[in-house]
Amino acid sequence: MRSLEEKIIAEGKILPGDILKVGSFLNQQMDVTFIMEMGREIARLYRDCGVTKILTVESSGIAVAFAAAAAMGVPMVFAKKHASANMSGGAYSAPAESYTHGKTYHIVVSEEYLLPTDAVLLVDDFLAVGNALRGLLALCRQADARVVGAAVAIEKWYQQGGDALRSEGLRIESLAKIKSLSTKDGISFC
Amino acid sequence: MRSLEEKIIAEGKILPGDILKVGSFLNQQMDVTFIMEMGREIARLYRDCGVTKILTVESSGIAVAFAAAAAMGVPMVFAKKHASANMSGGAYSAPAESYTHGKTYHIVVSEEYLLPTDAVLLVDDFLAVGNALRGLLALCRQADARVVGAAVAIEKWYQQGGDALRSEGLRIESLAKIKSLSTKDGISFC
């Protein structure tokens, strides 16, 4: 998605540790009109795939997942990083290490919102080493739900998580795929 | 908003401790089409108020805030419950006790996303004792941003946080206002 690449170049900042900050439009401040456009692109990529539900993990994945769900006309479910008092009944749980936060969460989703009859599209803002997607895949496996594929806004391709998952048979669509990123040389796309 | 009251009656569950669970359409699983409708209603209530930005707090407020921002055509910002590695520069911070989780977070927003020129609409999914709104108000005060008002999906009116804030001069619009709630007698609206 050329417009996303242009936005990353124009507004993205590279922080120490090669962390890409896109807080001005995707992570903390959200350019809602633009994210709705990203949602329509995800819907286009997965049209005719019979998606019944979109699954993401809180917090920064929620907006992109919401926009994709709005464009596809299906419900969206987000896994929580902690069990909560407003959950009841059984839940699926899987570990997911956060690259940005440097710790492992046990992501949780209520059993009642992920069904064996579901055809699930996984959505997230970033794909780096692939831990979040692996966690979401584990939740779907526990629920016996079928995973149609994954869509992410920004894939850090050089961290290889995406290609590892693709080689295991998962379809992944990235709206922008970063080939390399460094404070010295900036950002290049695949 | 009559349709929201009907949905709460049809799908809401009352958990021990008088916690209202609306996880089937608002909190964990999201009825995106319906939430977009709620966003349009919030936009209608605050039309002609010159809103430049919508502010919420992660995670469950994000969807309603996103929908309102989409309907109003303004950016949305969410305060984080913890500082994060992908934040840089100065940040505003304020305490906000979570009624549901029973602990106090220090909510944080980067200085660059909340400006003295902003006219801010606060949005959240629930309003009970008002701690989240008070935290968001404190962030806006620190940024010297003007607060136009607040919009929440569900106000638990009997917990009095909304009326306390109204008596301090804050305009608050609730799409559904719960008068009483108990496992014994169910839910009644104002």
Side-chain angles (χ1 to χ4, degrees):
Chain A
M1 198 179 170
R2 178 61 61 98
S3 56
L4 177 56
E5 293 183 1
E6 288 168 356
K7 219 164 161 71
I8 292 168
I9 294 291
E11 298 187 32
K13 286 176 192 167
I14 303 170
L15 304 184
D18 288 354
I19 289 173
L20 176 63
K21 183 189 174 193
V22 286
S24 67
F25 66 96
L26 185 61
N27 276 163
Q28 186 164 27
Q29 177 165 265
M30 291 177 177
D31 182 335
V32 172
T33 306
F34 186 72
I35 294 174
M36 290 296 277
E37 226 180 271
M38 290 169 48
R40 284 191 291 274
E41 175 63 5
I42 292 171
R44 190 188 67 77
L45 290 164
Y46 281 98
R47 71 183 182 281
D48 308 325
C49 292
V51 172
T52 64
K53 201 165 276 178
I54 285 179
L55 179 66
T56 189
V57 58
E58 64 180 355
S59 293
S60 54
I62 292 176
V64 181
F66 187 92
M72 298 180 99
V74 298
M76 187 271 264
V77 172
F78 71 91
K80 291 176 182 271
K81 284 178 178 165
H82 312 276
S84 161
N86 58 8
M87 290 177 67
S88 63
Y92 304 116
S93 170
E97 194 187 331
S98 165
Y99 178 77
T100 314
H101 298 91
K103 62 178 170 181
T104 298
Y105 296 98
H106 286 268
I107 62 173
V108 182
V109 73
S110 290
E111 282 177 10
E112 56 195 309
Y113 305 136
L114 208 50
L115 306 174
T117 49
D118 275 323
V120 180
L121 175 63
L122 312 177
V123 174
D124 209 355
D125 57 342
F126 272 96
L127 165 56
V129 292
N131 289 331
L133 287 186
R134 285 186 189 280
L136 294 174
L137 282 170
L139 296 179
C140 290
R141 252 195 317 270
Q142 289 170 43
D144 213 13
R146 184 166 65 89
V147 176
V148 168
V152 298
I154 301 174
E155 177 177 352
K156 290 161 131 184
W157 174 79
Y158 59 94
Q159 287 188 270
Q160 302 176 346
D163 280 354
L165 282 160
R166 286 184 185 98
S167 74
E168 294 167 29
L170 183 68
R171 176 181 171 191
I172 304 177
E173 301 285 349
S174 308
L175 302 186
K177 202 186 266 189
I178 296 176
K179 192 174 176 181
S180 67
L181 175 154
S182 72
T183 41
K184 188 168 152 278
D185 299 316
I187 300 169
S188 70
F189 294 96
C190 293
Chain B
M1 197 178 170
R2 177 62 61 97
S3 55
L4 177 57
E5 293 184 1
E6 288 168 354
K7 219 164 160 71
I8 292 167
I9 294 292
E11 299 187 31
K13 287 176 192 166
I14 304 170
L15 304 184
D18 287 355
I19 289 173
L20 176 63
K21 182 189 175 192
V22 286
S24 68
F25 67 96
L26 186 61
N27 275 164
Q28 184 163 27
Q29 176 165 268
M30 291 177 177
D31 183 334
V32 172
T33 306
F34 186 73
I35 294 174
M36 289 296 279
E37 225 180 89
M38 290 168 50
R40 284 190 292 275
E41 175 63 7
I42 292 171
R44 190 188 67 76
L45 290 163
Y46 281 98
R47 70 184 183 281
D48 309 325
C49 292
V51 172
T52 64
K53 202 166 274 177
I54 285 179
L55 180 65
T56 188
V57 59
E58 64 180 355
S59 294
S60 54
I62 292 177
V64 182
F66 187 92
M72 298 180 98
V74 298
M76 186 270 264
V77 172
F78 71 92
K80 291 173 182 274
K81 284 178 178 165
H82 312 276
S84 161
N86 58 8
M87 290 177 67
S88 62
Y92 303 116
S93 170
E97 195 187 330
S98 166
Y99 178 77
T100 314
H101 297 90
K103 62 178 172 181
T104 298
Y105 296 97
H106 286 269
I107 61 172
V108 181
V109 72
S110 290
E111 282 176 13
E112 56 194 310
Y113 305 136
L114 208 51
L115 306 174
T117 48
D118 275 324
V120 179
L121 175 62
L122 311 178
V123 174
D124 209 355
D125 57 342
F126 271 95
L127 165 56
V129 292
N131 289 331
L133 287 186
R134 286 187 188 279
L136 294 175
L137 282 170
L139 297 179
C140 291
R141 252 195 317 271
Q142 290 171 41
D144 213 15
R146 184 166 66 88
V147 175
V148 169
V152 299
I154 302 173
E155 177 176 353
K156 291 161 131 184
W157 174 79
Y158 59 95
Q159 288 189 270
Q160 302 177 344
D163 280 355
L165 281 160
R166 286 183 185 98
S167 74
E168 296 167 29
L170 182 68
R171 176 182 171 191
I172 303 176
E173 301 285 351
S174 307
L175 302 186
K177 203 185 264 188
I178 296 177
K179 192 174 176 181
S180 67
L181 175 153
S182 72
T183 41
K184 186 168 154 279
D185 299 317
I187 301 169
S188 71
F189 295 96
C190 293

